[in-house]
């Protein structure tokens, strides 16, 4: 099989498409013929070696994929069945989706929802799945369209852009925070009613600011998240799923105590199966067909490493798909 293989030499990560014997695939009950994968931010860090994502080499990156079952020792899955996978450390410590085949545990797979195909599933991908979990976290916190405006940080990224599309389709008014003026038309097309510069959220902030947001989906962390927390309505909920701006949180307890604000962490890697299935069904139901026509860059396996570099350089907007077959 062909695979994008990451190897290490003198402390540097080397990425190249190579022919690899299928027998070298790691242990698992289900072997999948991969049709589509993607380049996520975590994949880009792994492929370029700019993040300490990979601990053991050689490694096949790709934290999500969609394809058809080639062989199964798990009674829940049969040969020819369409499946998808996100998370579970695949592409980090278990060979991932940027290869023609993947062998994984049956517990990690999700049957492809009826009405969804592999390409659409990977346009959604890990980023869209995470966005849906964030929206569900806001709903769990009691935030409704009637509660007020929702702010989404890192809006032009995969999580942020899908979150805007989901929230807009559900009737929420959405403000998008983006550092790139070139993305404004794209964000408005997704449903953002207001676009704010990242600079408004990246400076020092007081413990409490004017109440602006009923809910928030944050992919940045650090000062951006601290600024958002200080601006939350009473009883507001913040779903935090990323740390693109840093892992620190320079804030105080005042938003939580004086405004009853909830900070809900959202992890998509270890999400239990039942909530995964619920999230994918809702994605299929909520996302409009126009979402799949939005900014999508499609590359081949041979072009994946170059695409990873471009993603880190902010030269790609929206989702990057890798057509494996």
């Amino acid at each position: 099989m062909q695979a994008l293989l990451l190897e290490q030499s003198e402390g540097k990560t080397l990425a190249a498409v190579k022919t690899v014997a299928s027998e070298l695939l790691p242990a698992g009950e289900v072997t999948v013929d991969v049709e589509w994968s993607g380049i996520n931010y975590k994949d880009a860090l792994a492929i370029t070696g700019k993040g300490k994502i990979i601990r053991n080499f050689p490694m096949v990156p790709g934290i999500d994929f969609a394809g058809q079952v080639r062989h199964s020792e798990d009674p829940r899955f049969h040969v020819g069945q369409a499946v998808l996978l996100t998370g579970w450390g695949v592409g980090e410590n278990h060979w991932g989706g940027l290869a023609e085949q993947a062998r994984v545990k049956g517990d990690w797979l999700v049957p492809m929802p009826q009405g969804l195909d592999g390409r659409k599933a990977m346009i959604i991908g890990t980023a869209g799945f995470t966005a849906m979990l964030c929206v569900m976290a806001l709903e769990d916190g009691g935030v409704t369209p009637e509660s007020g405006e929702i702010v989404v940080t890192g809006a032009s990224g995969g999580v942020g852009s899908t979150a805007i599309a989901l929230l807009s389709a559900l009737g929420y008014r959405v403000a998008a925070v983006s550092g790139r003026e070139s993305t404004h038309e794209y964000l408005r097309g997704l449903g953002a009613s207001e676009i704010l510069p990242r600079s408004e959220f990246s400076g020092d902030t007081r413990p409490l600011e004017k109440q602006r947001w009923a809910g928030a989906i944050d992919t940045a962390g650090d000062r951006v998240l601290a600024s958002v927390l200080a601006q939350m309505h009473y009883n507001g909920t913040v779903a935090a799923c990323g740390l693109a701006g840093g892992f620190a949180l320079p804030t105080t307890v005042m938003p939580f105590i004086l405004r009853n604000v909830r900070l809900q962490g959202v992890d998509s890697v270890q999400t239990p199966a039942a909530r995964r299935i619920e999230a994918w069904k809702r994605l299929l139901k909520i996302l409009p067909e126009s979402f799949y026509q939005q900014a999508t860059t499609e590359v081949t396996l041979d072009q994946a490493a170059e695409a990873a570099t471009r993603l880190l350089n902010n030269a790609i907007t929206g989702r990057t798909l890798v057509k494996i077959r």
Side-chain angles (χ1 to χ4, degrees), residues 245-294:
F247 58 79
L249 184 54
T251 188
T252 73
V253 297
M254 292 177 71
F256 311 109
I257 294 174
L258 299 182
R259 289 186 180 165
N260 212 46
V261 171
R262 173 191 291 192
L263 176 59
Q264 177 65 57
V266 175
D267 165 65
S268 64
V269 177
Q270 303 286 338
T271 306
R275 194 160 178 88
R276 281 179 185 272
I277 292 171
E278 178 188 0
W280 279 103
K281 286 181 178 178
R282 292 200 64 195
L283 282 160
L284 177 60
K285 181 179 179 181
I286 296 169
L287 285 174
E289 189 63 30
S290 60
F291 174 81
Y292 303 104
Q293 315 305 323
Q294 294 287 346

Side-chain angles (χ1 to χ4, degrees), residues 1 27 55 66 89 94 108-110 120 127 141 150 155-156 164 177 182 188 195 212 240 251 283-284 286 308 325:
M1 67 173 189
R55 303 295 182 182
H94 186 102
W108 298 349
L109 290 170
V110 173
K120 285 184 175 180
I150 311 298
S156 60
I164 291 169
V177 179
S182 60
R188 292 191 188 282
I195 300 173
R212 299 177 69 181
T251 188
L283 282 160
L284 177 60
I286 296 169
R325 295 176 180 272

Side-chain angles (χ1 to χ4, degrees), residues 27-48:
E29 300 88 31
V30 185
T31 303
V32 178
D33 284 329
V34 181
E35 297 172 346
W36 295 93
S37 187
I39 304 292
N40 296 276
Y41 184 70
K42 188 180 287 186
D43 294 318
L45 291 174
I47 292 168
T48 60

Side-chain angles (χ1 to χ4, degrees), residues 36-110:
W36 295 93
S37 187
I39 304 292
N40 296 276
Y41 184 70
K42 188 180 287 186
D43 294 318
L45 291 174
I47 292 168
T48 60
K50 292 184 178 179
K52 294 182 179 179
I53 306 298
I54 309 300
R55 303 295 182 182
N56 300 304
F57 293 87
M59 179 60 60
V60 175
I63 65 171
D64 52 23
F65 64 78
Q68 293 190 341
V69 174
R70 180 186 185 93
H71 173 77
S72 177
E73 297 172 4
D74 186 320
R76 294 172 294 180
F77 300 98
H78 60 266
V79 173
Q81 182 177 3
V83 293
L84 62 90
L85 181 146
T86 64
W88 299 113
V90 169
E92 299 177 66
N93 49 49
H94 186 102
W95 285 17
L98 289 173
E100 291 181 330
Q101 292 180 28
R103 185 181 295 140
V104 297
K105 292 184 178 181
D107 287 342
W108 298 349
L109 290 170
V110 173

